[in-house]
Amino acid sequence: MTITTPPSTLTVSFEDDPRVVREAATEDYSTHVVPTSWRAGRWSLAMAWWAMFSAMFWLYVAVASADAVGAPATIAGMVLSIATYGVVNLVLSRYAARTGLTVALLSRRLFGTLGSALAPLIFAATALYYGVFEGSIVAVALQGYFGGNLKIWYLVAVAYALPLVIGGVRAWLDKLNGVLLPFYVLGLIAVVIAATVKQGYPQVWLHSVASQAPLPGWLTSYLIYMGVWIMMMYTVDYARLGRPQDTRFHGTVTFGWVFYTFTFGVNGLIGIYLLRAWEISGSETGVVDAVIRSLGFAGVLLIFVSQTRINTANYYLASTNLEAFAARVLRLRLPRAVWVGVAGAIAYLLMLTDVLGYLLKALAWQGVFVTAWVAIALVHIAVSPADRDGLPEFRTGRLVPLTAGAAAWLAASAAGIVLTEQGANAALAQLAPLITVVLAAGLYYAALRFAPSAVRVRGGDPRDEVEDVWRARILCHVCDRSYVAVEMDRDPSANGAAICSACAADSAALARAVR
């Protein structure tokens, strides 16, 4: 609607709202743009993110690849994956630091206000599944060494991790993971030495025989690593907390090729070495057995440290995206601490089921949506001038409910799932992630070129009424909090009063007035 009366005057300040800062200590601006004043220091963010380095999953996935295609082909796939992840996360981390957007907020621009709801749900579900996997590793290690009921150890693995993730990245997770990182590194060195002393050097650990496969071994290995492109989404939600002046460091070291050289390369080679030294098959618990056989109780401590680090990231991202999904779809606003508890409860219930029986299938389906999302995000950043050079439009009142981009995402994902599930051609099933990426990129590019714009043309933009959209804070008439002007809009259902991004997403009156 057109506002015919003079709009309400903006209440502008240039200091952070103390109430918002107190909430940010746990919320980390989960449903808001992160102001530059809340960005983490270079090493603070690096230590928080490098929690990802210590997942036992990286040892396991390398062994699974080596069992399938042999160690040489696995190493080739690792190198290609490190290069790919390095380039993609360089782009995504710089974009996230420049805009301060979460996956949920960026998805609004890509898919519309309604179409974007699926992205945080898939993100939260995937983070939860990885949390279940890593938590199960802890439980199996504790039961294997101490005995007892595995269900009780599952509960222990979940319960001790939850309090650790209630604090935000800058307030707590950086410090916790910074302290634990040296213990994990020393533990990796110790486990390799101990395995060699006890078992001798496995002469053929890099020459394992590959089974027959429909695709070249290096390509199969590369596609296996494509299954964890969820790391790209993880990158966005962490990198938004980085300072713009640190983007070069974060793009190379924190989120880029340096990180993946250690995460995929070092972890992967150690995993292959350990299991070949102990002659253990590459099962889900094979890495646990090898570590405990090598170090005994110290191995249990190593697993405890490694899984504590990685699950701080898994539960943190699961809770923030559950919060974003509930706020957008259910219009339910609860503190993130509540969503941490919800994430933990869901994780424990999943552990009580035959989770490994359907975990890989669930991750395969979700992985299709994730790879399509990454392809679409990259195309958008590359070819959308406003997002590349200026500020993206993510405010609810200035976007259509569904974009052609949402149709592109769903169509590419549906094609990927069909290819994954069809049993007639094994090569096509394995190539599903790559085909999905190409389809998603092509369809989204076509949507940008030929479909109507996703942005509504409206006047009265608070961004045009302040000199510096990152310094100015504007008071929201709904929640009575001041947020950075980048995310603020005028509410046509309230005489143009200022409204923050989160409150605008909840307002049915605003949506009606805009229509």
Side-chain angles (χ1 to χ4, degrees), residues 31 94 283 323 326 348 424 434 473 492:
T31 56
R94 286 181 173 179
S283 65
E323 180 180 8
Y348 180 64
L434 273 180
R473 272 70 172 162

Side-chain angles (χ1 to χ4, degrees), residues 87-98:
V87 171
V88 171
N89 288 303
L90 172 68
V91 174
L92 293 178
S93 64
R94 286 181 173 179
Y95 181 82
R98 181 169 63 79

Side-chain angles (χ1 to χ4, degrees), residues 53-54 56 178-195 262 266-267 270 274 291 294-295 298-299 301-303 305-306 309:
F53 162 59
S54 59
M56 287 289 159
V179 169
L180 293 180
L181 178 59
F183 291 99
Y184 179 70
V185 173
L186 291 174
L188 285 182
I189 296 170
V191 75
V192 170
I193 293 172
F262 283 91
V266 173
N267 278 326
I270 288 175
L274 284 179
V291 170
S294 299
L295 294 177
L301 291 179
L302 172 61
I303 292 170
V305 167
S306 72
R309 282 169 49 78

Side-chain angles (χ1 to χ4, degrees), residues 18-32 34 38 102 162-175 237-238 240-241 312 315-321 323-324 334-341 483:
R19 298 164 298 177
V20 173
V21 172
R22 284 194 297 271
E23 293 165 358
T26 54
E27 300 301 310
D28 266 344
Y29 292 89
S30 301
T31 56
H32 296 274
V34 183
W38 191 254
T102 62
L162 297 186
L164 299 178
V165 298
I166 291 176
V169 167
R170 209 182 78 163
W172 168 242
L173 294 184
D174 57 344
K175 301 172 182 63
D237 270 19
Y238 268 74
R240 70 192 178 96
L241 298 165
T312 59
Y315 286 129
Y316 170 77
L317 292 171
S319 62
T320 57
N321 281 278
E323 180 180 8
L334 297 170
R336 193 174 67 83
V338 174
W339 295 111
V340 170
Y483 291 99

Side-chain angles (χ1 to χ4, degrees), residues 289-453:
D289 294 339
V291 170
I292 293 177
R293 289 186 194 181
S294 299
L295 294 177
F297 179 67
V300 177
L301 291 179
L302 172 61
I303 292 170
F304 185 81
V305 167
S306 72
Q307 304 312 90
T308 297
R309 282 169 49 78
I310 184 61
N311 263 352
T312 59
N314 287 327
Y315 286 129
Y316 170 77
L317 292 171
S319 62
T320 57
N321 281 278
L322 282 173
E323 180 180 8
F325 175 77
R328 181 67 195 91
V329 176
L330 306 177
R331 296 184 178 175
L332 179 62
R333 293 203 169 274
L334 297 170
R336 193 174 67 83
V338 174
W339 295 111
V340 170
V342 171
I346 295 172
Y348 180 64
L349 292 174
L350 289 173
M351 288 178 182
L352 296 180
T353 66
D354 179 24
V355 65
L356 295 178
Y358 60 81
L359 178 63
L360 294 180
K361 176 71 70 177
L363 289 176
W365 281 45
Q366 289 165 204
V368 167
F369 281 95
V370 169
T371 52
W373 185 94
V374 172
I376 287 170
L378 290 175
V379 169
H380 188 85
I381 293 169
V383 304
S384 179
D387 284 17
R388 184 175 65 247
D389 302 321
L391 291 170
E393 186 54 82
F394 60 90
R395 293 169 293 179
T396 302
R398 295 177 183 269
L399 293 171
V400 298
L402 284 171
T403 69
W409 187 31
L410 292 175
S413 300
I417 290 173
V418 169
L419 289 173
T420 300
E421 293 302 312
Q422 60 83 31
N425 191 313
L428 270 180
Q430 290 187 13
L431 286 169
L434 273 180
I435 296 172
T436 300
V437 165
V438 173
L439 272 176
L443 290 172
Y444 187 74
Y445 180 76
L448 285 180
R449 287 292 305 274
F450 303 113
S453 174

Side-chain angles (χ1 to χ4, degrees), residues 426-496:
L428 270 180
Q430 290 187 13
L431 286 169
L434 273 180
I435 296 172
T436 300
V437 165
V438 173
L439 272 176
L443 290 172
Y444 187 74
Y445 180 76
L448 285 180
R449 287 292 305 274
F450 303 113
S453 174
V455 180
R456 295 181 187 272
V457 178
R458 286 179 53 209
D461 192 339
R463 290 180 182 175
D464 298 330
E465 301 176 49
V466 297
E467 289 188 7
D468 189 331
V469 294
W470 286 102
R471 279 193 63 235
R473 272 70 172 162
I474 299 176
L475 185 68
C476 172
H477 83 93
V478 178
C479 64
D480 193 37
R481 302 283 195 274
S482 293
Y483 291 99
V484 67
V486 167
E487 72 168 71
M488 301 300 291
D489 200 359
R490 284 193 177 275
D491 183 354
S493 70
N495 193 32

